[in-house]
């Protein structure tokens, strides 16, 4: 069965620090990969996605993620976080051609001003 | 452009009761999926509706059922509520004819508390 693991449950950073959130998935076939973000009091929003091509994808607000197929990983990065990045981040996968998403348990990011 | 809207936003039910949650997809979207997000966990797929039929289903019991209407809106019904059904229920929509057909857009959810 497919599964998604996010190893960091809670991350606390100071502004301007660099961010990397880990995501590993388990699935034998071709997948699409996503990061969603949930800001306090708001709904889940798409941050970025990978379908094919360049394994380094760029999303909104300066976020990027790298797909490493050999490691089944899709880690999220940002060189310099801001207080406004405080949110919960979810990694998700869906099997190509099946619009059924599997989510990780989420990472709560708290950026101190 | 209206996003995904869900109602009610919060509700409290008693064990054994039944609940109906409603979802209107994003304008132009024709596929609706439902997810359950328990506290401290990521969303879990319940089922997906397209052309008024259940197209895919996750590992949820038959107490969870749904419906999609001709205008693409959808309902999630849960019968014989258990305490463990307390969660945030999320509706997500997508459009099969779009280039990003397998990207889903979420509503704000319906918080269900079972007491």
């Amino acid at each position: 069965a497919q599964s998604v693991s996010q190893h960091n449950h809670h991350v606390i950073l100071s502004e301007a620090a660099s961010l990397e959130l880990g995501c590993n998935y388990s699935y034998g076939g071709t997948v699409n990969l996503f990061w969603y973000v949930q800001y306090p009091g708001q709904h889940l929003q798409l941050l970025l996605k990978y379908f094919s091509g360049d394994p380094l994808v760029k999303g909104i607000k300066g976020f990027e993620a790298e797909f490493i197929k050999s490691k089944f990983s899709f880690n999220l990065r940002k060189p310099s976080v801001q207080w406004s990045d405080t949110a919960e981040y979810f990694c998700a996968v869906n099997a190509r051609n099946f619009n059924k998403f599997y989510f990780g348990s989420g990472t709560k990011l708290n950026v101190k001003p | 452009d209206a996003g995904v809207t869900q109602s009610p936003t919060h509700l409290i039910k008693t064990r054994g009761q039944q609940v109906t949650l409603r979802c209107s997809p994003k304008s132009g979207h024709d596929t609706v999926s439902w997810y359950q997000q328990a506290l401290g966990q990521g969303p879990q797929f319940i089922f997906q509706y397209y052309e008024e039929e259940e197209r895919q289903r996750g590992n949820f019991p038959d107490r969870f059922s749904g419906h999609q209407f001709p205008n693409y809106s959808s309902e999630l019904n849960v019968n014989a509520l258990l305490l463990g059904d307390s969660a945030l229920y999320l509706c997500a929509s997508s459009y099969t004819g779009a280039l990003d057909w397998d990207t889903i857009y979420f509503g704000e959810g319906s918080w269900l508390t079972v007491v």
Side-chain angles (χ1 to χ4, degrees), chain A residues 32 34 36 38 41-44 46 49 51 88 90 94 96-106, chain B residues 33 35 37 40-43 45 48 55-58 88 90 94 99-104 106-108:
Chain A
N32 299 318
F34 303 78
Y36 279 83
Q38 188 166 31
Q42 296 187 26
H43 62 280
L44 278 164
L46 181 66
K49 60 187 179 184
F51 286 178
E88 190 159 16
F90 292 91
N94 70 9
R96 196 68 59 84
N97 299 322
F98 291 91
N99 205 357
K100 173 180 174 181
F101 280 63
Y102 294 87
F103 283 83
S105 57
Chain B
S33 302
Y35 287 79
Q37 186 176 10
Q41 297 184 21
F45 178 78
Q48 181 184 88
R55 186 161 68 171
Q56 295 189 78
R57 189 177 183 91
L88 177 66
L90 296 166
S94 59
L99 286 175
D100 65 343
W101 67 271
D102 51 359
T103 299
I104 57 176
F106 285 91
E108 295 195 10

Side-chain angles (χ1 to χ4, degrees), chain A residues 38 44, chain B residues 6 9 21 35-39 43 46 85-90 107-112:
Chain A
Q38 188 166 31
L44 278 164
Chain B
Q6 293 186 241
T9 53
L21 307 178
Y35 287 79
Q36 181 195 65
Q37 186 176 10
L39 210 57
I46 302 175
D85 295 331
S86 296
L88 177 66
Y89 288 85
L90 296 166
E108 295 195 10
S110 295
W111 279 102
L112 170 65

Side-chain angles (χ1 to χ4, degrees), chain A residues 33-104:
Chain A
L33 298 152
F34 303 78
W35 277 96
Y36 279 83
V37 60
Q38 188 166 31
Y39 297 104
Q42 296 187 26
H43 62 280
L44 278 164
Q45 302 171 37
L46 181 66
L47 197 57
L48 50 78
K49 60 187 179 184
Y50 171 80
F51 286 178
S52 62
D54 188 345
L56 184 63
V57 293
K58 295 188 184 300
I60 60 172
K61 303 184 180 185
F63 286 89
E64 63 180 30
E66 184 176 14
F67 171 49
I68 302 180
K69 189 174 181 180
S70 61
K71 295 184 178 180
F72 296 90
S73 70
F74 190 56
N75 292 353
L76 181 70
R77 300 195 293 249
K78 185 171 184 179
S80 175
V81 295
Q82 301 173 314
W83 175 78
S84 58
D85 293 325
T86 295
E88 190 159 16
Y89 293 80
F90 292 91
C91 180
V93 303
N94 70 9
R96 196 68 59 84
N97 299 322
F98 291 91
N99 205 357
K100 173 180 174 181
F101 280 63
Y102 294 87
F103 283 83

Side-chain angles (χ1 to χ4, degrees), chain B residues 1 22 28 31-32 39 43 46 75 77 84 96 100 110 115:
Chain B
D1 181 22
R22 295 176 177 82
T31 302
V32 172
L39 210 57
I46 302 175
E75 289 182 350
N77 301 293
T96 52
D100 65 343
S110 295
V115 298

